[in-house]
Amino acid sequence: MNRFAKIGACLLAFVLFAYLLLVDYPRFKESLTTGSRSAASEQLEAADSSAPEAETEDPGVDTSADTSAEVSDPEASETAALQAQAEALEQELEDLREQCGAVPVALFFDQSTDVIYQELYPAMTTAGYTGTIVFQDGALTGNYQIIETSEFKTMNEAGWEYAIGGDSTDIDLTGTVTAQAWQTSLETYIKNLRARTGITPTLYVFRDGEYQEDCDAALEDLGYTALAYSAADAAEDTAVSALTRLTWFRVSAETDAETLLEELQSCSCAVLLAEVDEADSTGEDLFTSEDYIALLGELVADDGVTITTGTEILETAADGSERQQLLEQIQEKEAELAQVQAQLE
């Protein structure tokens, strides 16, 4: 009996040992490992928290790019500001030009020959325009190849106007001449023209290079109220007088409408001065009535020009402060815009 009890006890002890070996020992080992790892982690975390933070650089990142970006940001901001300023100035210019509107232009003719009445007058009437005839070099109605007095009166009644121009006398204004001698000769011519036509012109048109500052006093003494001269003479004129001043632009068969429009936009008002040829003329640069009307059509179609009369253009020139002020503002804004664009470049 005791023998069998001993054998059973031995078997039970072996089973318990096997159980512990196969089941509890792995759990026990894992608990030992986990505990040691937790302790090690705590020690490492404590060490990291007590040590100062070190700056690390990613070897794959180029830090010089960040530096250049910081430098370029102010440049980009400045460029953006200049572009915004340029856009604002362009809008202001557009608004000012719109306010300025079309430039008033009067039609003057540097001739009083038969072609004026026979060809130009009918063409102008059909197109709805009137003009101003400039009596040049002492021309009088009824003289050889000059319009008849009856033709003059017909055109005058239809709204055409008249001025004196060129030398209008036997004196060459581009030569050496005293203002008094020119005034005396001009006074004689005015009397003769008044006797033929019954009118006394109050506007004198100077050919290019003829105007001299001494002329102002003589014209005022003779009752003139206005003068017209070329853009070149106008730029050099420094005389101070009560005369209203007009600037003329000569037009011919070679005139380019687009170029002329650009020149006119800088004026508060202007005069187109032309000499129209006869249809059967053999001149090299033939400028017929049809070609002249076609040129006017191009100018008007652009909306940059409005055709008016000699009287109205004089009133505009004498009064035209509003358009002149707008033009001055446009010039200032254009100068500002040019400076900004130069900075952008």
Side-chain angles (χ1 to χ4, degrees):
M1 188 73 182
N2 289 334
R3 183 181 175 186
F4 287 108
K6 288 180 180 179
I7 292 171
C10 289
L11 290 171
L12 180 62
F14 178 79
V15 170
L16 289 172
F17 177 78
Y19 175 80
L20 290 172
L21 182 64
L22 296 173
V23 178
D24 282 355
Y25 179 74
R27 291 179 181 174
F28 175 70
K29 182 180 180 181
E30 182 179 358
S31 66
L32 288 175
T33 305
T34 303
S36 62
R37 285 180 180 175
S38 299
S41 297
E42 289 176 359
Q43 290 177 356
L44 288 172
E45 288 174 3
D48 290 341
S49 62
S50 62
E53 293 184 2
E55 294 182 2
T56 60
E57 291 184 4
D58 187 348
V61 178
D62 184 5
T63 57
S64 64
D66 294 336
T67 305
S68 63
E70 292 175 0
V71 173
S72 63
D73 282 343
E75 295 177 359
S77 299
E78 183 180 357
T79 300
L82 287 171
Q83 288 174 339
Q85 186 179 357
E87 290 174 3
L89 287 169
E90 287 171 353
Q91 184 60 54
E92 289 180 38
L93 276 170
E94 184 178 342
D95 294 340
L96 286 170
R97 291 187 180 113
E98 186 175 346
Q99 292 178 48
C100 206
V103 55
V105 168
L107 311 177
F108 281 48
F109 298 93
D110 189 19
Q111 67 196 109
S112 54
T113 60
D114 292 338
V115 69
I116 282 284
Y117 184 78
Q118 295 171 359
E119 296 188 23
L120 184 62
Y121 173 58
M124 292 275 286
T125 300
T126 300
Y129 302 128
T130 59
T132 298
I133 293 179
V134 183
F135 283 93
Q136 300 279 10
D137 304 328
L140 295 171
T141 59
N143 285 6
Y144 177 67
Q145 291 187 336
I146 304 301
I147 61 172
E148 298 293 334
T149 301
S150 59
E151 296 171 345
F152 169 92
K153 291 181 178 179
T154 298
M155 295 176 71
N156 194 12
E157 290 171 0
W160 282 69
E161 298 172 341
Y162 300 89
I164 294 175
D167 300 334
S168 296
T169 66
D170 56 356
I171 294 179
D172 180 7
L173 290 177
T174 60
T176 303
V177 57
T178 64
Q180 184 58 50
W182 176 69
Q183 179 176 346
T184 300
S185 181
L186 182 58
E187 186 173 11
T188 300
Y189 171 71
I190 291 173
K191 290 178 180 178
N192 292 334
L193 183 63
R194 187 189 303 119
R196 294 283 184 97
T197 64
I199 69 164
T200 302
T202 58
L203 170 66
Y204 194 96
V205 180
F206 289 93
R207 288 173 176 163
D208 194 13
E210 287 183 343
Y211 174 74
Q212 301 174 31
E213 293 183 0
D214 290 344
C215 295
D216 285 57
L219 292 176
E220 287 182 297
D221 287 345
L222 293 172
Y224 280 78
T225 60
L227 64 83
Y229 43 23
S230 68
D233 285 342
E236 296 179 2
D237 180 16
T238 59
V240 178
S241 71
L243 295 174
T244 298
R245 283 160 157 71
L246 296 174
T247 302
W248 59 253
F249 295 84
R250 186 171 292 280
V251 294
S252 68
E254 298 178 344
T255 298
D256 177 70
E258 185 176 351
T259 302
L260 178 59
L261 275 168
E262 291 179 1
E263 294 175 337
L264 291 172
Q265 295 313 308
S266 63
C267 302
S268 58
C269 61
V271 166
L272 299 186
L273 189 62
E275 184 171 351
V276 177
D277 299 318
E278 295 183 29
D280 60 352
S281 173
T282 57
E284 293 181 2
D285 298 319
L286 186 64
F287 193 36
T288 64
S289 300
E290 290 75 13
D291 292 333
Y292 180 77
I293 299 300
L295 173 62
L296 296 181
E298 289 185 62
L299 298 177
V300 174
D302 186 84
D303 293 331
V305 164
T306 179
I307 305 296
T308 185
T309 66
T311 298
E312 289 174 344
I313 207 72
L314 284 171
E315 292 173 353
T316 301
D319 170 60
S321 55
E322 182 178 355
R323 181 178 171 82
Q324 186 60 42
Q325 289 174 0
L326 288 170
L327 287 172
E328 290 172 359
Q329 292 179 42
I330 288 173
Q331 290 175 351
E332 291 174 0
K333 294 297 179 184
E334 286 176 338
E336 289 181 36
L337 180 58
Q339 289 180 349
V340 173
Q341 289 174 334
Q343 289 178 281
L344 283 170
E345 294 173 359

